Amino acid sequence: MAAIASTPRMRCLYIFNRDGVCLHYHVWLRPLTTLSPHQDQKLMFGLLFSLKSFTAKMDPVGGNKGNLGAPNLPGQGCSFHSFRTNTYKLSFMESPSGIKLILITDPRMGDLRDALKYIYSNIYVEYVVKNPLYTPGQPFKCELFNATLDQYVKTLQ
Amino acid sequence: MAPPTRAGDYPFAPVDRVNAELFTLTYGAIVRQLLTDFEEVEEVNKQLDTMGYNIGVRLIDDFLAKSNITRCSEFKDTAEVIAKVGFKMFLGVSATVSNWSADGSECSLILDDNPLADFVELPDTCQGLFYCNILCGVIRGALEMVSMRTEVKFVKDMLRGDDAFEIRLKLLEQVAEEYPYKDDE
C-alpha cells in the first residue's frame, strides 16, 4: 500500500466549456510538456470533439447518427467515457450544459465516471459556478476549488 | 433524460431551503428598486428578464448536478423536466405543461401557485408590469446552455386578473455543436 500511496496516480485535469474555452487546467504530475499551454488545450479539445463524433458514427445499434463531420446536436448519439494507452488513461465526462471534464491518470486506474460526476456536481458547481463573482464562460482560478479537488483525488484508487 | 414521473420526487433531499417569506420579500425589494431606478415598467420587464437570464446560465449546472439528468435533447421532455423538476426544486411548486402547438415547438407552463407573487397587488401605475418576468429569463438562460434558443414570455398573469400564471415557451432553434476554433488560429 505504501508503494501505491507514494506514486501519484493523477496526471492532470482539464475543464472545457462548449465553446472550447479551457476554463481550468490542473496539473499534478506532468514531467513532459512539448506544446504551449494554448496549443495543448486546443489539441485536447479537438481530440475529444473528433473522437466523440467518430464514436457516434461507428455506433452499430443506436439510431440518429448524422453525417461524419456534420454538426451533431448536443446529447445526440452515444459518447465514449475513457480510453487507455500503455502510459496513461483519459477519462471524459460531458454535462448537458456542455461542460467537459477530462481527467488524465495512471493507466491502472479503474472506472472514474463517478469520480468525474462528483467533481462536476460537488466541486465545480459548488465552488465555481455558485461564486457570484465568477463570470460564466471565463477561465477561473479558485483556491477552494483547487484545495477540495486535491483532497478528493487523493481518495481515488 | 429521466422519466418525468419519477424525476419529480428524488432530487430534493439535499437541497437547502430558505424561508419562503424572506425569499418572496427579497424578490419584492428587487422589483421595487428596479421600478425606482428605471421608472418605465417596460424597462423593468426587460431588466427582470436579463437578470433572470444571468441566473439561468448558472442555475443550469446546479440543476443538472442535483437532478442527475444526463441528457436534454428533446424539447418535449425538457419542458416536462422544467415544469416538474426545475420549478419544484427552485420554487417549491410544480407547473403543468400544456397547449402544445401542432409542430411541437411551442408549449405553455401553467402555474396555479406562484410564491414570487404572494402579497403582491399591482397598483394602477404598474399596469404593464410582468411582476414575475425574472422566471422567463431564468428559463431562457438555462435552455440556452443546453443549446436550445427559445423565446419565453408571460401570456397570463394572475396579478393582471387571469386565472393562472401561464408562461409561453417557444423553441426557435436547437444549436448544433460545432468545432469552435478556426484553422488559422
Side-chain angles (χ1 to χ4, degrees), chain B residues 84-146:
Chain B
K84 296 285 176 306
V85 191
F87 271 92
K88 187 90 190 153
M89 189 186 287
F90 295 112
L91 214 53
V93 292
S94 50
T96 331
V97 185
S98 64
N99 302 341
W100 278 98
S101 65
D103 61 353
S105 72
E106 273 188 62
C107 67
S108 292
L109 301 177
I110 295 172
L111 282 168
D112 295 319
D113 182 24
N114 179 354
L116 282 182
D118 284 349
F119 320 124
V120 181
E121 228 177 278
L122 289 187
D124 292 341
T125 48
C126 299
Q127 283 308 313
L129 180 69
F130 284 108
Y131 184 81
C132 303
N133 216 28
I134 201 162
L135 296 178
C136 297
V138 173
I139 298 173
R140 183 167 65 85
L143 285 177
E144 191 169 298
M145 295 312 281
V146 296

Side-chain angles (χ1 to χ4, degrees), chain B residues 31 38 44 63 85 91 104 109 113 141 146 171 174 176 180:
Chain B
V31 179
F38 291 95
V44 174
F63 174 73
V85 191
L91 214 53
L109 301 177
D113 182 24
V146 296
L171 178 69
Q174 276 188 282

Side-chain angles (χ1 to χ4, degrees), chain A residues 51-108:
Chain A
L51 206 50
K52 229 184 84 178
S53 140
F54 282 127
T55 46
K57 186 65 188 173
M58 297 311 287
D59 187 349
V61 286
N64 69 32
K65 300 188 192 183
N67 289 317
L68 188 60
N72 262 328
L73 290 174
Q76 203 179 39
C78 62
S79 183
F80 77 103
H81 50 79
S82 73
F83 68 77
R84 205 188 294 261
T85 75
N86 54 341
T87 56
Y88 68 93
K89 177 178 178 182
L90 181 149
S91 308
F92 169 69
M93 180 204 119
E94 182 173 20
S95 79
S97 56
I99 300 293
K100 296 175 168 64
L101 266 72
I102 300 106
L103 186 60
I104 317 266
T105 58
D106 183 281
R108 288 167 297 171

Side-chain angles (χ1 to χ4, degrees), chain A residues 125-139:
Chain A
V125 170
E126 288 298 314
Y127 294 107
V128 181
V129 179
K130 285 191 184 173
N131 175 0
L133 299 182
Y134 167 67
T135 316
Q138 292 294 312

